[in-house]
Amino acid sequence: ILNPRFAAGEVLVDGHLLANARLALPLAWLGVRLDGSVFVVGENLTDESYEHRLGYPMPGRMLHAGLDLRF
């Protein structure tokens, strides 16, 4: 990768394994008459410590929940 914080050339970063998942349930299954879904998303489920660029660590395990409505 290239590191914009330093004038040196390319720098190697360690390899990493990421696992992400998304589970969605259509609102129609819940008896609601709207087009959309309820969802839960998990990112970095392996809680891997990694960097896309040297000196910029990425977040650990994260969970998000939400509502996707379509009009």
Side-chain angles (χ1 to χ4, degrees), residues 14-18 44 48-53 56-60:
D14 294 334
H16 50 271
L17 171 69
L18 297 177
N44 193 6
E48 186 78 25
S49 177
Y50 70 104
E51 300 175 344
H52 278 296
R53 289 187 180 269
Y56 294 91
M58 298 303 290

Side-chain angles (χ1 to χ4, degrees), residues 2 4 14 18-19 21 24 33 41 44 47 51 57 59-60 64 66 69-70:
L2 296 175
D14 294 334
L18 297 177
R33 301 182 109 187
V41 177
N44 193 6
D47 201 21
E51 300 175 344
H64 307 272
L69 294 176
R70 299 168 193 250

